[in-house]
Amino acid sequence: MDERQIKQRAVPSKPSAFRGVLEHLSPGYFALTMGTGIVSVGLHEVGWDLLSHILLVIAAVSYVLLWVLYIWRAIAFRAAMKADLRGPEMAFAYFTVVAGTDVLAVRLGAEGFGAICLALVTLATLLWFIFGYVLPWQVLLSRDGKPILSRVNGTWFIWAVASQSLAIGMSIVQPYVATGKSLIGLVAVLSWSVGVALYAGVAVLVLLRIVYFGMTPKEFEPPYWVAMGAMAIAVVAGAKIIAMESTPMVEATRVLIAGTVAAFWGYCLWLIPVLVGAGVWRHVVHRIPLGYTPTLWSIVFPVGMFAVASINLGRADSLPVVEAIGDGSLVVAVLVWALVFVAMIRHYVMLGWRSRVVAS
């Protein structure tokens, strides 16, 4: 055995690039399905069916692939997954699993896949109840010596998004069931109400975090856009509940929910310049590099959700200006989706290429 072979045997093999990606897989990566799915929904509603179907296929493939990767990670890197589940910075990002499931169900329901839609919404309901109790318990009762308030961030709003997405899912599956419509109406109103309450609570926590601990440009990450998306999905969820078949709970809250929808949409519109301005402050003024990160999908979903909310509200209340804003926002959503999708593909192609170069 020559000297070179001895050195090669002495040096431990490096973990593959794939295993590195898998170990550090973002808990919020189902935002890829959320963003792709909601843009597909918007394109379907304005009649751009070919592009909508393409995005639907991408959303469905990403959904299945992400489930495989999440389960694989849970088995291969259990410690990393547990750390995410207990960390205030990352734990609530797991609610993207619920929201992604509901968004995909809504889009498939529009294509007439009633059985698949019902199965997905059932799964999302179970996950919403489990995550809704387990994740906050893990975060709030686990102590590592660091104050939780200083670690509150935009991912916490995803809990509210998941709740509102379930309300939409319930409104979609109601026509597919013969019995239990009252229970579906109850869960729809319950999840919508919880979503609104959670939004208010998280907004207060975020504000307190900023007041007491401040926020650096680096800390203003893309998930803060979910603050707008969470309210936009409340608009869509409220409109869907109003349009549901009559049940005792729906009738009891129909007027109340109808009175909030337009106000919520106005708040979303007001938030957009704030978020854009904060992005300029982060990337232009302080020159934080803008590279691909999975959290960029947290921008795609809110933009797409605002477009769908505007289109729905404009049509339901005969507000042509609002619908026109929705049409314009949908074009922006498609462009943002394309930019992030291309950046994602490029990121992983370059990662694989660099890994092969290093290995050779």
Side-chain angles (χ1 to χ4, degrees):
M1 183 181 295
D2 60 25
E3 184 178 351
R4 186 165 62 96
Q5 290 175 321
I6 293 174
K7 287 182 178 180
Q8 287 177 345
R9 293 187 63 179
V11 176
S13 60
K14 295 181 179 180
S16 67
F18 172 76
R19 286 184 63 83
V21 170
L22 184 63
E23 182 178 4
H24 299 97
L25 184 68
S26 171
Y29 229 131
F30 271 87
L32 164 59
T33 303
M34 292 167 58
T36 305
I38 198 59
V39 175
S40 177
V41 169
L43 291 170
H44 175 73
E45 293 193 354
V46 298
W48 295 0
D49 289 332
L50 177 59
L51 187 54
S52 177
H53 287 147
I54 293 173
L55 264 66
L56 172 57
V57 171
I58 294 173
V61 171
S62 71
Y63 182 78
V64 174
L65 178 60
L66 285 168
W67 264 117
V68 172
L69 293 176
Y70 272 46
I71 293 172
W72 193 343
R73 182 181 187 240
I75 296 171
F77 301 101
R78 189 175 179 182
M81 184 198 68
K82 282 186 174 181
D84 289 338
L85 287 170
R86 293 173 178 172
E89 299 90 346
M90 302 295 292
F92 290 98
Y94 275 108
F95 277 105
T96 59
V97 180
V98 179
T101 302
D102 280 319
V103 171
L104 183 60
V106 169
R107 184 63 188 90
L108 290 172
E111 292 295 323
F113 295 102
I116 300 177
C117 176
L118 183 58
L120 288 173
V121 172
T122 301
L123 173 62
T125 304
L126 293 174
L127 292 174
W128 181 71
F129 276 105
I130 294 171
F131 286 1
Y133 292 107
V134 173
L135 289 181
W137 183 278
Q138 289 285 323
V139 170
L140 297 177
L141 295 186
S142 297
R143 289 290 184 264
D144 57 6
K146 301 177 184 178
I148 291 179
L149 184 60
S150 66
R151 300 152 75 184
V152 173
N153 57 44
T155 62
W156 288 44
F157 284 109
I158 302 174
W159 189 3
V161 170
S163 302
Q164 300 293 358
S165 73
L166 183 60
I168 298 175
M170 288 294 155
S171 71
I172 297 299
V173 301
Q174 191 186 45
Y176 293 112
V177 299
T179 59
K181 293 182 183 291
S182 294
L183 178 60
I184 289 176
L186 173 63
V187 176
V189 174
L190 168 68
S191 55
W192 182 87
S193 305
V194 169
V196 172
L198 288 173
Y199 185 94
V202 172
V204 170
L205 290 175
V206 169
L207 183 60
L208 288 173
R209 178 257 168 95
I210 295 173
V211 169
Y212 283 100
F213 297 98
M215 182 177 294
T216 65
K218 189 176 181 180
E219 290 173 330
F220 184 80
E221 296 179 323
Y224 280 100
W225 275 80
V226 183
M228 186 270 285
M231 191 54 71
I233 196 172
V235 174
V236 177
K240 294 295 185 183
I241 291 174
I242 294 169
M244 287 179 71
E245 295 179 31
S246 179
T247 68
M249 183 58 74
V250 170
E251 287 301 319
T253 57
R254 197 187 299 271
V255 175
L256 173 64
I257 294 175
T260 65
V261 170
F264 286 170
W265 180 86
Y267 176 69
C268 290
L269 186 63
W270 176 81
L271 266 181
I272 292 175
V274 176
L275 294 167
V276 172
V280 172
W281 172 68
R282 171 182 164 91
H283 297 293
V284 178
V285 177
H286 292 277
R287 300 182 180 181
I288 302 295
L290 181 59
Y292 175 75
T293 172
T295 56
L296 284 176
W297 290 106
S298 298
I299 296 179
V300 177
F301 175 77
V303 176
M305 196 73 246
F306 177 75
V308 172
S310 302
I311 292 169
N312 278 263
L313 180 63
R315 291 176 178 177
D317 293 349
S318 300
L319 300 169
V321 174
V322 174
E323 186 176 355
I325 291 174
D327 292 336
S329 300
L330 182 60
V331 174
V332 175
V334 172
L335 294 175
V336 174
W337 177 88
L339 288 172
V340 176
F341 186 77
V342 170
M344 180 184 70
I345 298 298
R346 180 182 180 277
H347 172 77
Y348 288 113
V349 169
M350 293 299 295
L351 186 64
W353 180 78
R354 286 195 296 267
S355 176
R356 293 190 62 179
V357 170
V358 171
S360 62

